[in-house]
Amino acid sequence: MTDSGPAPLPTADRPDIAARLRDALLAASFTADGLLDLLGAPAYAALARSETVPALRATRGDTPLETLVRLFLLQQPVPHARVAAVLEVEEAVEAGWLRRVGGDEVAATVDVRPYGGPGGEDWFIVSDLGCAVGGAGGIGQRDEGVVLGVGGASTTLAGITVRTPVAAALDLGTGSGIQALHAAQHATRVTATDLNPRALHITALTLALSGAPAADLREGSLFEPVRDDETFDLIVSNPPFVISPRARLTYRDGGMGGDDLCRSLVQQAGERLNEGGFAQFLANWQHVAGEDWQDRLRSWVPRGCDAWIVQREVQDVTQYAELWLRDAGDHRGDPAEYQARYDAWLDEFEARKVRAVGFGWITLRRTGSAEPVVTVEEWPHPVEQPLGETIRAHFERLDYLREHDDAALLDSRFKLVPEVVQEQVGLPGAEDPEHVVLRQHRGMRRATKVDTVGAGFAGVCDGTLSAGRILDAIAQLVGEDPVVLRDRTPAQIRLLVEQGFLEPAG
């Protein structure tokens, strides 16, 4: 980037040129799979870290794919004749995708990165030059207003989003358009908002180049561009959630004090959801001295919504400040200025009595129930993406448990979900284990302790017998009063259902 700010963008008013450019990219195998085959896994992975040397070494030939990689991914000038053998250079220059440089070379005006859709689709994510990787890349000082590509946060949100067919979806803070692109596959109408008009322009380019339907693009902060009478079946947002002393960078700093932006986003989402609709966000939240962080998050949940909030990571304030100072490239600048900014960050946290910052996922679902369920938990362990179906099923199980008291639960039949294993923990040679653990190998990959009755119950659940009949059989087997067993076991059954180890059999 230059001191004059981000470069001019391709026109978004020529979908025909975008379509022909897409055809040329696909014809040259400029796809996620094609890149992996060409570059090899190490060079491909290095690109995600903003390291280009391995890819430069792998593209020293003159094939169409190597030409496109050097042009759009590595931002290298390429001889006009080489590019002309792959795509229509003159119309790409006319539409602003390319520009002439040097004597007889052309260069890309934007980064275009292949991205594989969940159904095997070949998509292309457009972003500003040098900003293809979102998150803490530390790739150098970034200009205000630049638009980043797809980073870990973007793919995480895309993976946890519930993907059921809906009439209307809203992407708040669309950035490069990746969430809107995913939503376009299962929503009849997609609305995307962003405070940065450049982001809306790039979202239009991403959608056009990926062959997706156009979205309704609106400029403004958060819900401001949304009409009072508009509601949605799905709301997603990877907002500018960084808790910083001041709003330096639009793409990451929300401009509100502390974690107020994330709180406002969550609180305002409830009234924008249709019955049964989901709102899903990534967020940061403060851990404040003398305050339970889980209570803080429960206070954010709007009335009339179930919620599932998962804290995935916690950083102390020094780690947090260093992460985002490096994200902006401040560590590569003047040491005195870096120290002053670091000080300002710690001053802000000290004034707010913030000891740490949490990061995670927030999912709301609009419910007609008089007793919404709010679950706030910490789960820093590996999970299996995509998790959208796991999250949808979680809320479906909440409905089931709300509708079934203990008596109804005992009359119900359950099935153990696939790929659950039992682990027995105890001293070698002991007659009985100290405890039994059930462990999932799919979805959240949870592990939970159960007693021998719980383990035996789960193992027998194949959908044929009611829970009550299984407990009666276990009581007879272990010589326990069946009435007592029926009385104390429903709480354990509820936990196993809630955490996804058991599912109703119908």
Side-chain angles (χ1 to χ4, degrees), residues 265-505:
L265 181 61
V266 173
Q267 289 180 335
Q268 294 173 24
E271 62 186 10
R272 301 295 187 180
L273 282 176
N274 293 324
E275 185 75 20
F278 287 92
Q280 299 187 262
F281 316 106
L282 301 185
N284 276 179
W285 44 79
Q286 298 173 149
H287 286 231
V288 179
E291 177 182 285
D292 186 308
W293 68 271
Q294 293 180 321
D295 289 342
R296 181 182 191 85
L297 290 171
R298 288 189 184 96
S299 73
W300 291 8
V301 178
R303 294 180 61 184
C305 288
D306 292 323
W308 186 15
I309 302 174
V310 182
Q311 180 167 273
R312 296 288 290 159
E313 184 180 359
V314 181
Q315 291 185 317
D316 67 50
V317 292
T318 58
Q319 290 175 309
Y320 188 81
E322 290 163 14
L323 170 71
W324 293 108
L325 286 166
R326 290 177 184 276
D327 171 80
D330 292 329
H331 62 305
R332 302 187 183 193
D334 176 45
E337 188 172 344
Y338 173 83
Q339 184 173 346
R341 285 176 173 165
Y342 199 154
D343 254 338
W345 222 305
L346 296 186
D347 284 344
E348 176 82 4
F349 284 135
E350 185 176 344
R352 294 178 175 275
K353 300 181 179 179
V354 177
R355 300 293 181 261
V357 177
F359 168 82
W361 319 324
I362 297 176
T363 299
L364 307 177
R365 187 192 59 167
R366 190 77 186 176
T367 178
S369 172
E371 299 180 1
V373 176
V374 176
T375 302
V376 183
E377 63 176 319
E378 185 165 20
W379 190 254
H381 311 293
V383 298
E384 181 192 41
Q385 283 277 33
L387 269 175
E389 179 57 24
T390 298
I391 291 174
R392 186 203 61 76
H394 168 86
F395 287 93
E396 194 171 82
R397 292 193 302 272
L398 287 187
D399 287 339
Y400 178 87
L401 292 172
R402 255 195 301 246
E403 295 164 1
H404 289 72
D405 60 17
D406 287 356
L409 211 62
L410 293 174
D411 284 338
S412 301
R413 294 174 291 112
F414 299 96
K415 292 189 298 185
L416 186 68
V417 301
E419 298 192 43
V420 171
V421 298
Q422 176 179 304
E423 301 172 358
Q424 297 187 0
V425 181
L427 293 173
E431 184 176 344
D432 296 312
E434 291 180 17
H435 59 263
V436 178
V437 174
L438 298 182
R439 186 178 301 277
Q440 302 168 351
H441 284 277
R442 304 298 302 271
M444 290 292 287
R445 294 176 174 162
R446 293 187 184 277
T448 190
K449 288 183 181 180
V450 293
D451 59 22
T452 53
V453 170
F457 176 85
V460 176
C461 283
D462 61 2
T464 58
L465 297 176
S466 70
R469 290 186 63 186
I470 292 174
L471 290 178
D472 290 344
I474 292 175
Q476 186 175 9
L477 191 64
V478 301
E480 190 168 339
D481 185 340
V483 175
V484 173
L485 199 60
R486 278 174 171 258
D487 186 57
R488 69 176 174 86
T489 306
Q492 193 166 189
I493 296 174
R494 286 186 181 278
L495 179 64
L496 292 175
V497 172
E498 180 183 345
Q499 294 192 344
F501 289 91
L502 297 176
E503 59 185 11

Side-chain angles (χ1 to χ4, degrees), residues 53-392:
V53 171
L56 285 167
R57 292 174 60 85
T59 56
R60 290 179 286 197
D62 58 0
T63 67
L65 180 54
E66 287 170 298
T67 297
L68 292 174
V69 170
R70 285 198 160 242
L71 190 65
F72 286 115
L73 258 67
L74 304 178
Q75 280 99 59
Q76 301 294 306
V78 179
H80 184 289
R82 280 186 60 185
V83 180
V86 183
L87 54 84
E88 293 291 337
V89 174
E90 296 310 316
E91 74 171 14
V93 170
E94 175 194 346
W97 291 96
L98 302 177
R99 61 188 177 89
R100 293 183 177 86
V101 295
D104 191 28
E105 293 182 319
V106 293
T109 58
V110 288
D111 185 292
V112 176
R113 186 153 302 220
Y115 179 90
E121 301 92 348
D122 289 315
W123 293 340
F124 300 97
I125 309 302
V126 180
S127 62
D128 273 309
L129 295 175
C131 296
V133 179
I139 59 177
Q141 191 71 35
R142 291 169 174 160
D143 291 320
E144 169 65 11
V146 298
V147 179
L148 302 190
V150 177
S154 300
T155 55
T156 293
L157 179 59
I160 68 172
T161 301
V162 176
R163 300 292 176 196
T164 54
V166 296
L170 173 64
D171 175 16
L172 288 177
T174 188
S176 62
I178 180 61
Q179 309 305 330
L181 180 55
H182 275 279
Q185 310 309 303
H186 63 103
T188 303
R189 175 173 56 88
V190 176
T191 301
T193 72
D194 205 290
L195 183 63
N196 182 3
R198 188 174 182 87
L200 297 176
H201 191 130
I202 283 182
T203 291
L205 298 175
T206 289
L207 294 172
L209 199 58
S210 298
D216 181 0
L217 304 175
R218 304 182 192 176
E219 183 179 345
S221 178
L222 303 180
F223 288 101
E224 287 177 4
V226 178
R227 297 191 306 271
D228 291 341
D229 61 344
E230 279 187 292
T231 55
F232 301 87
D233 306 297
L234 174 67
I235 300 172
V236 293
S237 183
N238 177 18
F241 53 64
V242 176
I243 300 169
S244 59
R246 60 189 181 89
R248 284 178 58 205
L249 300 171
T250 300
Y251 71 84
R252 67 163 211 196
D253 303 315
M256 297 185 187
D259 53 16
D260 284 353
L261 182 137
C262 291
R263 176 186 55 79
S264 298
L265 181 61
V266 173
Q267 289 180 335
Q268 294 173 24
E271 62 186 10
R272 301 295 187 180
L273 282 176
N274 293 324
E275 185 75 20
F278 287 92
Q280 299 187 262
F281 316 106
L282 301 185
N284 276 179
W285 44 79
Q286 298 173 149
H287 286 231
V288 179
E291 177 182 285
D292 186 308
W293 68 271
Q294 293 180 321
D295 289 342
R296 181 182 191 85
L297 290 171
R298 288 189 184 96
S299 73
W300 291 8
V301 178
R303 294 180 61 184
C305 288
D306 292 323
W308 186 15
I309 302 174
V310 182
Q311 180 167 273
R312 296 288 290 159
E313 184 180 359
V314 181
Q315 291 185 317
D316 67 50
V317 292
T318 58
Q319 290 175 309
Y320 188 81
E322 290 163 14
L323 170 71
W324 293 108
L325 286 166
R326 290 177 184 276
D327 171 80
D330 292 329
H331 62 305
R332 302 187 183 193
D334 176 45
E337 188 172 344
Y338 173 83
Q339 184 173 346
R341 285 176 173 165
Y342 199 154
D343 254 338
W345 222 305
L346 296 186
D347 284 344
E348 176 82 4
F349 284 135
E350 185 176 344
R352 294 178 175 275
K353 300 181 179 179
V354 177
R355 300 293 181 261
V357 177
F359 168 82
W361 319 324
I362 297 176
T363 299
L364 307 177
R365 187 192 59 167
R366 190 77 186 176
T367 178
S369 172
E371 299 180 1
V373 176
V374 176
T375 302
V376 183
E377 63 176 319
E378 185 165 20
W379 190 254
H381 311 293
V383 298
E384 181 192 41
Q385 283 277 33
L387 269 175
E389 179 57 24
T390 298
I391 291 174
R392 186 203 61 76

